[in-house]
Amino acid sequence: MGDMASGQIAITVLMGLLLVVVAALLTRIENWRSYAPTAGASSLTGEETSYGHSEKPGGITRWLTTVDHKDIGILYGAFALVAFAVGGIMVVLMRTELMWAGEDIMSASLYNSLLTSHGITMLFLFGTPIIAAFGNYFVPLLIGADDMAFPRINAIAFWLLPPGALLIWGGFLIPGMEAAQTSWTMYTPLSAEQPMIGADLMILGLHLTGVSATMGAINFIATIFTERDEEVTWANLDIFSWTMLTQSGLILFAFPLLGSALVMLLLDRNVGTTFFATEGGGAILWQHLFWFFGHPEVYILVLPPMGLISYIIPRFSGRKLFGFKFVVYSTLAIGVLSFGVWAHHMFSTGIDPRLQVSFMAVSLAIAIPSAVKTFNWITTMWNGKIRLTTPMLFSIGFVANFIIGGVTGVFLATIPVDYLLHDTYYVVGHFHYVIMGAIAFAVFAGIYYWFPIYTGKMYQKALGKWHFWLTMIGTNLTFFGMLILGYLGMPRRYATYNLVSVGPIDLFTILHQSATIGAFILLIGQLVFVWNVVSSWLYGRRVADGDPWDLKDDALYSREFRWHERRMNDDLVLADGGASDDGSEES
Amino acid sequence: MSRRLSGRRVIYIVYAAIVSIAALMGFILGTINPEGMDPTLFFVVDLPATPVGMVIFGVSTIGLGLGALLLLVAYVADRYDDAELS
Ligand code: HEM
Ligand SMILES: [Cu+2]
């Protein structure tokens, strides 16, 4: 009881602190205004995006006060990569524990905490923010806008993330506190009854990141609808912006629902409401609410990466994206359908079989637009002349891994198969083929493809290739092993497998060890990546070319590189204080 | 800049890689032979739950499924793809 009371006090204090922080931020807005590139009426007159650097304060103040979409994009990117590292280290610890069958390097409860935090970190602190990084930096450039529609809301949305992250990791950071062990799905009654305050902190943090994502989504929608250059019509809006727009729509419907459900869970935990208690709404209510958010969330994470792939593949195949319209339609179709499949995560909870069949049908249907996209990517490459640059390698890797992830997903959506494989490592294998094998691959492709724009430098090509091959091999070793483990009946979410009575331990050990070795290979690959990014950014050679990928040769030059070229020219003439003409032409 | 490869060749390689993964999966599962595994090719042909049987199962299912996709790609790309290389 005393525990409960002190828990509530701690939360009240935290909430109070949060309010103070927000209030302090709000009072700073006046100060931000003077740095805002779009301050005052000039935002309406469409000034050049490449305003000089001199308007910005220097050093750390610049980064703390910026409302420039490019700076905020960089902030999102840096934040997301730090989160990727944190989530990655967590999972390396977990995989090390799973090298051997017993409880070897950590307790089962620590394992569960890491498991929970790994999932939430990767989805909400890496996945959504890294997409927002690309969106912030490049959507305004691609659509010819001066900035996002609401630059200051943009900044607030970003600055909600670090406190969110601290809360989510609070259970690890605050000495003497235990971290949540609910897994990312936070199923009740477990999540309602787990006593540790770490779980409350995590739920609050998750709530903040949800608010952040929602604010970002509103901003993207407003920007793409209202801030497009006259030349950019709906008909020639680029594919990446289309996917950002659809994704933002999904966020708008999905995240507020998660937020409400999280508040209900907090209330159940702390003030004795019974939303999800057996005598109240029941535990299944949580699952419905969670998955009504949760399935769209997986498409929130995959659509913009698909957009990146659709954007990059043509540029290294020397031809236009095949069937552009169909790629857009399939994006919209996925957006709509993704709200109609949530119960395929709940087949084994005993919901009405007739309902199950209809959810199975929609789940199989949603594979069709994904297949359409795959078809279009392959057709684009078919008659193309491929340049195997690092971004292209990652794009091809995306297609390969996405096919494996998609096929394994279709099997799972078939009810009898799901009964066998639900809650086994097969599911873990399936979604990691998509999330790591595809989504993260697209992120890397984007990072390399646009590296010259946001750093002004070129990355080291040999290291890029090393990064690709280590990541490709590591991913397939790890998650292939998991598919087989799942098929043999290894249940997910266990720190040990010596007590599991469903399978042969020796075999499980070998498969787990190969998955762990795969994870180590992945780790090495990511170290190469970090080294490459940091050293190239700091010491790499300057890109002197406005067309580093030779896109003009194939008539595939695009707006963001035109902007990049113009900025380089501006920098050259900045000394004269003159503005340069737009020297590039679209061929 | 960099060398250019024929798109088809790249796609054949990806295709071969994915089918080999299916074969490997079949081989491993066939070797382990867990209880209750009863491969039936295309819902008609009963295959033995041995490494060979499972490899045949994996390679035919994935190979023909993806192969059909590629045939469609080849057909469509030859007929409707007018975005010629410059
Ligand atoms: C081709 C379309 C897809 C189908 C038919 C499909 C089907 C399924 C099914 C039926 C499950 C539930 C398995 C179970 O728990 O018993 C599942 C789980 C999952 N899928 Fe997919 N999936 C597809 C694509 C994706 C994509 C694109 C992503 C990620 C962006 C994804 C991420 C996930 C995740 C995260 C889970 C596990 C959730 C959890 O229980 O923790 N799936 N999928
Ligand atoms: Cu789902």
Side-chain angles (χ1 to χ4, degrees):
Chain A
M1 210 48 227
D3 238 25
M4 280 284 278
S6 61
Q8 285 179 20
I9 292 172
I11 288 174
T12 317
V13 170
L14 261 164
M15 292 289 260
L17 270 178
L18 213 68
L19 280 177
V20 173
V21 170
V22 171
L25 282 180
L26 288 176
T27 59
R28 304 256 348 182
I29 285 180
E30 274 313 299
N31 298 349
W32 291 4
R33 191 178 289 268
S34 53
Y35 308 134
T38 53
S42 69
S43 64
L44 301 174
T45 59
E47 57 177 352
E48 282 297 336
T49 323
S50 55
Y51 43 87
H53 316 286
S54 50
E55 296 170 28
K56 290 183 191 173
I60 189 88
T61 324
R62 162 179 173 194
W63 293 105
L64 292 177
T65 59
T66 183
V67 295
D68 176 347
H69 70 99
K70 298 189 294 302
D71 289 351
I72 292 177
I74 299 277
L75 286 173
Y76 266 113
F79 174 87
L81 289 180
V82 169
F84 188 56
V86 172
I89 291 167
M90 286 171 170
V91 83
V92 166
L93 293 175
M94 287 156 58
R95 285 298 341 160
T96 310
E97 164 63 32
L98 289 170
M99 283 280 265
W100 306 278
E103 251 181 67
D104 303 297
I105 67 159
M106 63 177 74
S107 65
S109 58
L110 177 58
Y111 180 91
N112 292 342
S113 293
L114 289 172
L115 171 83
T116 306
S117 207
H118 162 73
I120 294 207
T121 300
M122 288 307 199
L123 295 174
F124 299 97
L125 303 178
F126 166 65
T128 323
I130 195 78
I131 291 169
F134 287 120
N136 266 293
Y137 204 109
F138 291 103
V139 164
L141 300 183
L142 287 167
I143 68 173
D146 298 331
D147 202 309
M148 297 290 285
F150 310 118
R152 281 172 284 275
I153 288 187
N154 204 19
I156 295 175
F158 171 76
W159 285 108
L160 288 178
L161 283 179
L166 289 180
L167 287 170
I168 287 172
W169 298 330
F172 294 102
L173 299 177
I174 304 172
M177 188 177 280
E178 214 181 344
Q181 300 174 15
T182 56
S183 99
W184 84 283
T185 52
M186 297 171 283
Y187 277 8
T188 52
L190 178 70
S191 61
E193 287 163 7
Q194 251 179 29
M196 64 281 268
I197 299 168
D200 295 296
L201 297 187
M202 182 184 84
I203 293 170
L204 280 173
L206 208 49
H207 194 70
L208 272 189
T209 66
V211 174
S212 157
T214 311
M215 289 167 93
I218 292 170
N219 217 342
F220 281 119
I221 293 174
T223 306
I224 295 175
F225 265 93
T226 63
E227 303 284 309
R228 276 175 291 129
D229 188 279
E230 276 161 16
E231 292 169 24
V232 182
T233 61
W234 287 115
N236 62 20
L237 184 64
D238 68 280
I239 189 66
F240 178 63
S241 300
W242 269 112
T243 54
M244 284 302 296
L245 181 64
T246 314
Q247 183 228 25
S248 300
L250 293 185
I251 288 181
L252 210 53
F253 284 101
F255 267 89
L257 184 119
L258 173 72
S260 324
L262 286 174
V263 170
M264 287 154 78
L265 184 57
L266 263 185
L267 293 177
D268 269 15
R269 288 175 59 83
N270 291 294
V271 302
T273 53
T274 57
F275 291 113
F276 304 118
T278 321
E279 66 273 24
I284 295 298
L285 175 63
W286 169 264
Q287 294 197 23
H288 278 296
L289 291 180
F290 182 83
W291 286 115
F292 188 84
F293 148 81
H295 189 86
E297 164 69 3
V298 306
Y299 284 96
I300 285 168
L301 290 170
V302 86
L303 282 177
M306 285 172 157
L308 285 174
I309 294 304
S310 310
Y311 195 76
I312 293 172
I313 281 186
R315 295 197 156 60
F316 295 109
S317 304
R319 55 212 342 268
K320 293 207 170 62
L321 179 62
F322 177 79
F324 183 92
K325 265 190 203 161
F326 292 98
V327 180
V328 173
Y329 293 150
S330 63
T331 304
L332 298 173
I334 288 177
V336 173
L337 289 176
S338 66
F339 282 100
V341 299
W342 77 88
H344 67 209
H345 296 272
M346 301 165 59
F347 284 153
S348 61
T349 57
I351 47 175
D352 189 324
R354 282 161 305 178
L355 272 180
Q356 290 191 16
V357 173
S358 64
F359 275 104
M360 165 168 138
V362 186
S363 301
L364 297 179
I366 204 172
I368 294 171
S370 301
V372 168
K373 283 167 183 284
T374 310
F375 175 83
N376 282 285
W377 295 323
I378 298 179
T379 310
T380 305
M381 292 198 287
W382 187 258
N383 282 328
K385 292 263 176 290
I386 310 257
R387 288 185 285 159
L388 287 182
T389 58
T390 305
M392 187 61 174
L393 284 173
F394 274 107
S395 303
I396 296 171
F398 175 107
V399 176
N401 292 333
F402 186 72
I403 290 174
I404 301 176
V407 170
T408 52
V410 168
F411 277 109
L412 279 179
T414 322
I415 297 166
V417 179
D418 187 66
Y419 280 144
L420 286 176
L421 296 177
H422 178 69
D423 265 339
T424 69
Y425 261 81
Y426 184 93
V427 176
V428 184
H430 151 65
F431 69 76
H432 279 94
Y433 260 105
V434 185
I435 288 182
M436 180 67 211
I439 294 175
F441 272 51
V443 164
F444 292 134
I447 288 178
Y448 286 113
Y449 180 63
W450 282 322
F451 199 80
I453 295 192
Y454 59 83
T455 64
K457 309 282 180 72
M458 194 39 130
Y459 61 85
Q460 295 154 71
K461 296 191 172 143
L463 291 183
K465 303 236 154 98
W466 272 102
H467 178 212
F468 168 75
W469 285 110
L470 289 169
T471 309
M472 187 70 185
I473 291 167
T475 300
N476 275 281
L477 194 55
T478 304
F479 303 120
F480 180 77
M482 290 190 185
L483 290 178
I484 295 182
L485 272 171
Y487 201 89
L488 299 181
M490 170 79 205
R492 62 193 281 203
R493 296 174 175 149
Y494 282 90
T496 60
Y497 40 98
N498 49 5
L499 301 177
V500 179
S501 54
V502 286
I505 289 191
D506 288 347
L507 210 56
F508 279 7
T509 309
I510 294 173
L511 288 166
H512 270 300
Q513 284 174 348
S514 71
T516 302
I517 291 169
F520 287 148
I521 295 176
L522 274 172
L523 175 69
I524 298 169
Q526 305 328 299
L527 291 175
V528 173
F529 168 66
V530 172
W531 169 255
N532 193 2
V533 168
V534 172
S535 65
S536 307
W537 198 325
L538 293 179
Y539 312 113
R541 73 177 165 82
R542 285 223 144 261
V543 179
D545 185 355
D547 183 16
W549 298 119
D550 295 334
L551 299 174
K552 285 178 184 168
D553 295 355
D554 296 326
L556 290 164
Y557 204 52
S558 48
R559 294 189 75 94
E560 80 281 22
F561 277 104
R562 231 193 301 161
W563 171 86
H564 167 66
E565 187 167 61
R566 197 165 59 222
R567 181 180 57 172
M568 280 193 325
N569 295 340
D570 281 358
D571 282 350
L572 290 179
V573 295
L574 204 63
D576 310 334
S580 76
D581 278 355
D582 179 359
S584 62
E585 79 292 343
E586 192 166 36
S587 34
Chain B
M1 195 179 103
S2 23
R3 207 156 55 92
R4 292 186 180 235
L5 295 171
S6 128
R8 271 164 231 225
R9 239 183 67 211
V10 173
I11 290 162
Y12 291 144
I13 293 171
V14 172
Y15 174 79
I18 295 178
V19 174
S20 325
I21 290 180
L24 185 64
M25 181 129 181
F27 181 78
I28 295 177
L29 286 179
T31 311
I32 297 169
N33 194 6
E35 235 174 282
M37 199 173 61
D38 176 24
T40 314
L41 195 53
F42 309 126
F43 308 106
V44 271
V45 189
D46 260 317
L47 287 170
T50 58
V52 175
M54 289 302 288
V55 168
I56 294 176
F57 180 79
V59 168
S60 335
T61 323
I62 303 296
L64 287 180
L66 279 184
L69 181 77
L70 286 195
L71 282 181
L72 194 63
V73 165
Y75 178 83
V76 171
D78 288 347
R79 239 140 286 233
Y80 302 101
D81 193 358
D82 46 15
E84 271 308 316
L85 262 183
S86 52

